Amino acid sequence: MNSCFIILAGGESKRFNSNTPKPYTNYKGKPLLLHSIDKAKVFNKFNKIVLVINKKHKNYIKKLNIKNISIINGGKTRAQSAYIALKSIKRNNFKNIIIHDAARPNFTLKLLKKLMNGLKTNDCVIPAIQTTDSVKQKTSNIVKNLKREDIYLIQTPQAFNYKKLFALQNNKSEEVTDDANLFVRAGKKIKIIKGEITNNKITINSDINFNDLIKFGLGFDVHRLVPNKKLYLGGIKIPSSIGTLGHSDGDPVLHAVTDAILGACCMGDIGEKFSDKNKKFKNIRSTILLSEIIKQTIKKGYLINNLDINIITQKPKIQKYKKQITNCIAKICNISPSQINIKGKTTEKLGVIGREKAIACEVIASVIKND
């Protein structure tokens, strides 16, 4: 592979006009910059991922608890941030480098593949789309028509030979708004490939479509409590003399979460996916089952927006385990813990739950269709 993916997210977000900096604003179910990070990880062709942030945003980045990438502070301009990133990996001897703006979350893995293939015979490969609008240029009071066939709208990610780009970066200018400009100014050859219409840039707050289709699903599960069984709630093993009876590990929380997500995505129910008639799923951990469903929903273009969970039990008291359960579910679902709300409920000692004979859970999930 011998390649690195750099994500630039170090701007001031002045034009975005929001209390939350643009890279950390929720977009289609998760913070904007996570779209680029997650796609780079799924692509699985990069030896290293580098995220360049604004040092003023450290508190925001800490909350995301991002793993297995290098996070560094950028400069005052985009050009400076790109140079700092390139310099930080100088000792790695990467052959290829891809630089991307976090403000473009909608690029596809197909585009990444085309860029990497282009580097086999080129030192600079950039995606672009041709405008369908009429284009004019105004200089003072003089207006002239331009041939739209000759006008290209340049996008990121952009792919480069690392050594060639780094050499040109030594002559960086604050006026450089994308890294391909360095090749253009130096008279170097660049390869333009067809970009993606959907690979739009988020610049101002209104660029984020808050009217995305949000769908909801309801999940419910109840399990009997019996001696000599383990007790799992939300993927966490709970110390207890009694546990839940079930074909799998009997985790009512993860079962309800799974059903709620399936319902929101119109993908059936947990019984259809993992039949209790199948020996394959005997005593299987529910964390494995939920992970499989998350993979399936991602393939269909769904992202989890929110999970609201009621755990109904007389014992144990949920408050003690709430953080652990939240973090476990967030990790499996690839979302932030802040997108999960857990409430512990009792039945005031009424019924089988009140007599500590069963534990139930109900969940409402909201998902966003990511087209």
Side-chain angles (χ1 to χ4, degrees):
M1 293 187 288
N2 196 23
S3 59
C4 178
F5 190 80
I6 294 174
I7 303 168
L8 301 179
E12 293 279 355
S13 304
K14 290 180 179 178
R15 290 176 291 176
F16 193 65
N17 192 28
S18 172
N19 291 329
T20 302
K22 181 169 61 177
Y24 309 95
T25 297
N26 192 54
Y27 177 75
K28 292 186 176 180
K30 57 186 173 183
L32 188 70
L33 63 79
L34 285 186
H35 288 271
S36 298
I37 292 172
D38 290 347
K39 286 178 184 178
K41 287 182 176 180
V42 172
F43 189 61
N44 201 29
K45 300 291 183 184
F46 300 112
N47 302 86
K48 188 171 187 175
I49 300 172
V50 177
L51 174 66
V52 185
I53 67 167
N54 187 319
K55 62 182 180 181
K56 297 177 183 178
H57 300 161
K58 282 187 175 180
N59 289 336
Y60 291 95
I61 202 71
K62 283 181 182 178
K63 291 179 181 178
L64 298 183
N65 195 28
I66 298 171
K67 304 291 185 182
N68 302 320
I69 72 168
S70 176
I71 302 174
I72 62 176
N73 293 327
K76 293 182 179 180
T77 67
R78 186 194 187 283
Q80 289 174 3
S81 291
Y83 179 70
I84 290 169
L86 290 171
K87 193 174 181 180
S88 74
I89 59 171
K90 190 175 181 181
R91 294 182 180 179
N92 294 101
N93 294 317
F94 290 122
K95 180 180 179 182
N96 298 323
I97 193 81
I98 287 187
I99 299 182
H100 182 57
D101 295 327
R104 292 184 185 269
N106 296 316
F107 69 98
T108 67
L109 300 184
K110 184 177 179 181
L111 179 60
L112 283 180
K113 185 176 181 180
K114 287 166 62 178
L115 289 167
M116 293 294 284
N117 286 338
L119 283 179
K120 294 176 182 178
T121 53
N122 300 276
D123 293 330
C124 172
V125 187
I126 62 173
I129 57 174
Q130 287 185 291
T131 179
T132 56
D133 298 320
S134 296
V135 183
K136 300 182 185 298
Q137 182 182 50
K138 181 180 179 182
T139 306
S140 297
N141 292 322
I142 301 174
V143 177
K144 65 177 181 179
N145 293 322
L146 300 178
K147 290 183 64 177
R148 60 186 174 194
E149 293 83 2
D150 298 332
I151 303 297
Y152 289 86
L153 305 179
I154 306 302
Q155 302 176 330
T156 66
Q158 299 178 353
F160 306 92
N161 175 282
Y162 172 75
K163 289 183 178 179
K164 299 286 180 68
L165 178 61
F166 188 67
L168 293 174
Q169 274 282 4
N170 285 317
N171 297 316
K172 64 185 181 302
S173 164
E174 292 187 2
E175 297 177 11
V176 174
T177 55
D178 79 335
D179 305 278
N181 269 339
L182 296 168
F183 276 74
V184 174
R185 289 186 174 193
K188 304 286 186 180
K189 182 181 177 182
I190 65 174
K191 172 70 174 179
I192 296 178
I193 65 172
K194 187 176 180 180
E196 297 174 327
I197 298 293
T198 55
N199 186 19
N200 55 303
K201 184 178 181 182
I202 306 297
T203 302
I204 58 178
N205 202 275
S206 60
D207 289 335
I208 291 183
N209 182 8
F210 291 105
N211 295 318
D212 286 310
L213 178 60
I214 298 180
K215 303 176 79 173
F216 298 90
L218 178 65
F220 177 82
D221 195 36
V222 60
H223 281 273
R224 184 184 304 171
L225 286 168
V226 296
N228 303 316
K229 292 288 287 185
K230 294 177 182 178
L231 177 61
Y232 289 102
L233 295 176
I236 303 301
K237 186 178 178 182
I238 308 294
S240 176
S241 59
I242 53 178
T244 48
L245 185 65
H247 184 70
S248 62
D249 63 2
D251 189 328
V253 178
L254 292 193
H255 292 177
V257 168
T258 302
D259 255 350
I261 293 170
L262 286 169
C265 300
C266 298
M267 291 171 55
D269 63 55
I270 191 170
E272 295 173 7
K273 298 288 185 179
F274 312 107
S275 172
D276 59 7
K277 302 291 190 299
N278 192 332
K279 293 181 180 179
K280 177 182 177 181
F281 304 121
K282 180 67 175 175
N283 296 321
I284 193 170
R285 289 296 309 277
S286 298
T287 51
I288 297 172
L289 304 183
L290 178 55
S291 295
E292 175 57 32
I293 293 305
I294 295 300
K295 290 178 185 177
Q296 292 180 23
T297 58
I298 289 173
K299 284 183 180 179
K300 288 185 174 292
Y302 288 101
L303 293 171
I304 297 172
N305 181 56
N306 174 263
L307 294 172
D308 189 28
I309 303 170
N310 280 344
I311 304 175
I312 310 165
T313 175
Q314 201 64 39
K315 286 184 180 179
K317 298 300 182 184
I318 297 304
Q319 183 65 34
K320 183 179 178 180
Y321 305 102
K322 189 182 290 189
K323 185 174 181 180
Q324 286 177 271
I325 294 173
T326 298
N327 289 338
C328 180
I329 296 174
K331 185 176 181 180
I332 297 171
C333 295
N334 195 27
I335 58 177
S336 167
S338 64
Q339 293 169 267
I340 300 173
N341 187 61
I342 293 178
K343 304 184 290 292
K345 299 291 182 181
T346 73
T347 60
E348 300 294 337
K349 298 186 178 181
L350 297 173
V352 291
I353 293 177
R355 295 196 302 272
E356 299 177 30
K357 299 293 184 181
I359 292 180
C361 183
E362 56 186 3
V363 178
I364 294 178
S366 68
V367 301
I368 296 175
K369 188 70 165 70
N370 183 10
D371 293 323

